[in-house]
Amino acid sequence: MDAYVPVSKAQLQDRLPDVSVATINRVLKKLMGEGKVEKIGSYRDARYRRV
């Protein structure tokens, strides 16, 4: 994940086809809790980027 370009969950799924959607969601939630990733937008328009 590029530090300056936000990515969507769909983009992560395309880049990581062997990783389940549940795992992507779990890791994103953990990283947001640790303050390492921020969520931009909400619901379907949400993007994630490194802090």
Side-chain angles (χ1 to χ4, degrees):
M1 209 165 34
D2 191 321
Y4 300 104
V5 178
V7 295
S8 67
K9 286 183 185 178
Q11 289 171 317
L12 290 172
Q13 292 169 3
D14 288 342
R15 293 180 188 181
L16 306 166
D18 295 335
V19 179
S20 72
V21 174
T23 299
I24 290 173
N25 289 333
R26 186 173 55 250
V27 171
L28 283 172
K29 184 176 179 179
K30 179 183 177 213
L31 292 173
M32 285 190 297
E34 294 173 356
K36 295 180 180 179
V37 169
E38 70 178 340
K39 183 177 181 181
I40 302 167
S42 60
Y43 303 106
R44 294 180 59 109
D45 295 329
R47 301 287 185 269
Y48 301 86
R49 87 173 165 179
R50 279 193 247 176
V51 177

